[in-house]
Each structure stands twice: as structure tokens, then as C-alpha cells.
Amino acid sequence: MSNLFKENLVDAEQTVLFGQRLSNACEFATCIYLHGDLGAGKTTLTRGFIQGLGHVGNVKSPTYTLVEPYELATWQVYHFDLYRLSDPEELEFMGIRDYFSETSHCLVEWPEKGVGFLPKPDLDLTLNYVGEKREVLLQANTENGLRVLNKL
Ligand SMILES: Nc1ncnc2c1ncn2[C@@H]1O[C@H](COP(=O)(O)OP(=O)(O)OP(=O)(O)O)[C@@H](O)[C@H]1O
Ligand SMILES: [Mg+2]
């Protein structure tokens, strides 16, 4: 069983669909770090992830709020965007630990900005530009992460 996964995403629609597929493969609370340059598709993929769990409506980038919560039928999803975080210690003040629970999935854009104050991820997800298109790479770091890859 491989701890790596790779797929091409030819347009934004495919990125959304992949996000849906990913959320449906998460049986247990999962923490995912989202890597990739500006505009690579991290928020687009997260939109699919959240909609895949039953959310109807918009999923906006939490660039200024740092985190956007979603209360869904069976899961809470916390979508972080730490791009504007100036000091990782701010995460301590916002009670970062409480977001990571047995009943929540956490997706974190720009996790590099929170080094030292974030839990280790089950999955590292990277979106790379391939011309106009994208590819998604996943690396599982935990038993739970491996299960997710296996169910994709
Ligand atoms: N597979 C794809 N092929 C081509 N374009 C895509 C693909 N997936 C997403 N896009 C487009 O790329 C852009 C991605 O924007 P998005 O906000 O999701 O990026 P981001 O990685 O969250 O950026 P940021 O780091 O600024 O938050 C959108 O315009 C989207 O339509
Ligand atoms: Mg984004």
C-alpha cells in the first residue's frame, strides 16, 4: 500500500470534484495541509471537500479571518488560511487546539506560517501548476492518512 498518490486535474471543475472525492474518503477526523503557490487551487479544492460533505452555498477564502467554520451533518470542517498570520504564536491565542477534535476535519492553507503551533497532518496535499492545468499530490503521514488514500 503506497503512501503517495498523484493525479492530473485538467480544470477547476476537476479540482472541485477531487475535493469531494477526498472528503468522502475521510472516515475519521483528518488533518490536511494544503501546499502550493498562490492561485494553485487550494481554496477551490477545499470548496469541493466541504460541498462533498453536504454544504450548500459559498466557500470563501478565510484570508482575513484565518479560519472559517462549517457545521455539516456529520462533521465540522475548519478551513484555515494562514497566509496573513504574522506570528505563529497568534494560533495559541485563538485556541488552535480546540479546532482539532474527533469530530472535525481541518484543512490548512499556508501551514508553513503556523510552524510549531499546528498538529502534524494526516495528509500533505500539494497542488502544482502544469501549464494552465494542475496536478495534485498526496502524501500520507499517519495510519488514518493511509486509509484515506486507500479509499480514494
Ligand atoms: N485544475 C485546474 N486547472 C486550471 N485552473 C484551475 C484548476 N483548479 C483551480 N483552477 C483555478 O485556479 C484558481 C485557483 O484559485 P484558488 O483561490 O483556489 O487558489 P489558492 O491555492 O487557494 O490560492 P491562495 O494561495 O491565494 O489562497 C481559480 O481561478 C480556479 O478556477
Ligand atoms: Mg486560497
Side-chain angles (χ1 to χ4, degrees), residues 9-12 15 37-44 81 109-110 132-134:
L9 303 169
V10 299
D11 57 21
T15 304
D37 292 343
L38 286 168
K42 301 179 293 296
T43 298
T44 305
D81 182 342
E109 297 187 38
W110 298 101
E132 296 284 293
K133 304 172 187 173
R134 310 287 191 272

Side-chain angles (χ1 to χ4, degrees), residues 5 10 38 45 52 64 67 75 83 86 92 109 113 115 129 145:
F5 175 97
V10 299
L38 286 168
L45 189 146
Y64 292 94
V67 60
W75 291 101
Y83 190 70
S86 43
E92 197 75 14
E109 297 187 38
K113 303 261 181 179
V115 164
Y129 282 83

Side-chain angles (χ1 to χ4, degrees), residues 77-151:
V77 178
Y78 297 110
H79 177 202
F80 293 87
D81 182 342
L82 305 184
Y83 190 70
R84 286 176 191 277
L85 190 71
S86 43
D87 182 346
E89 206 177 355
E90 277 179 49
L91 294 176
E92 197 75 14
F93 304 132
M94 70 187 264
I96 187 75
R97 259 176 286 256
D98 298 343
Y99 289 97
F100 296 82
S101 80
E102 309 257 285
T103 56
S104 64
H105 297 314
C106 289
L107 288 87
V108 189
E109 297 187 38
W110 298 101
E112 302 75 13
K113 303 261 181 179
V115 164
F117 291 87
L118 288 173
K120 294 267 172 291
D122 295 293
L123 293 167
D124 277 299
L125 185 156
T126 305
L127 284 156
N128 288 322
Y129 282 83
V130 182
E132 296 284 293
K133 304 172 187 173
R134 310 287 191 272
E135 69 175 10
V136 62
L137 302 171
L138 281 160
Q139 179 187 304
N141 305 315
T142 64
E143 202 61 39
N144 180 35
L146 272 176
R147 274 170 169 271
V148 175
L149 290 197
N150 212 33
K151 281 197 77 186

Side-chain angles (χ1 to χ4, degrees), residues 42-87:
K42 301 179 293 296
T43 298
T44 305
L45 189 146
T46 302
R47 182 172 303 132
F49 188 99
I50 292 167
Q51 290 173 346
L53 295 175
H55 176 72
V56 180
N58 203 14
V59 170
K60 57 179 195 291
S61 185
T63 307
Y64 292 94
T65 51
L66 293 181
V67 60
E68 195 66 36
Y70 297 86
E71 287 280 346
L72 306 174
T74 45
W75 291 101
Q76 291 147 337
V77 178
Y78 297 110
H79 177 202
F80 293 87
D81 182 342
L82 305 184
Y83 190 70
R84 286 176 191 277
L85 190 71
S86 43
D87 182 346

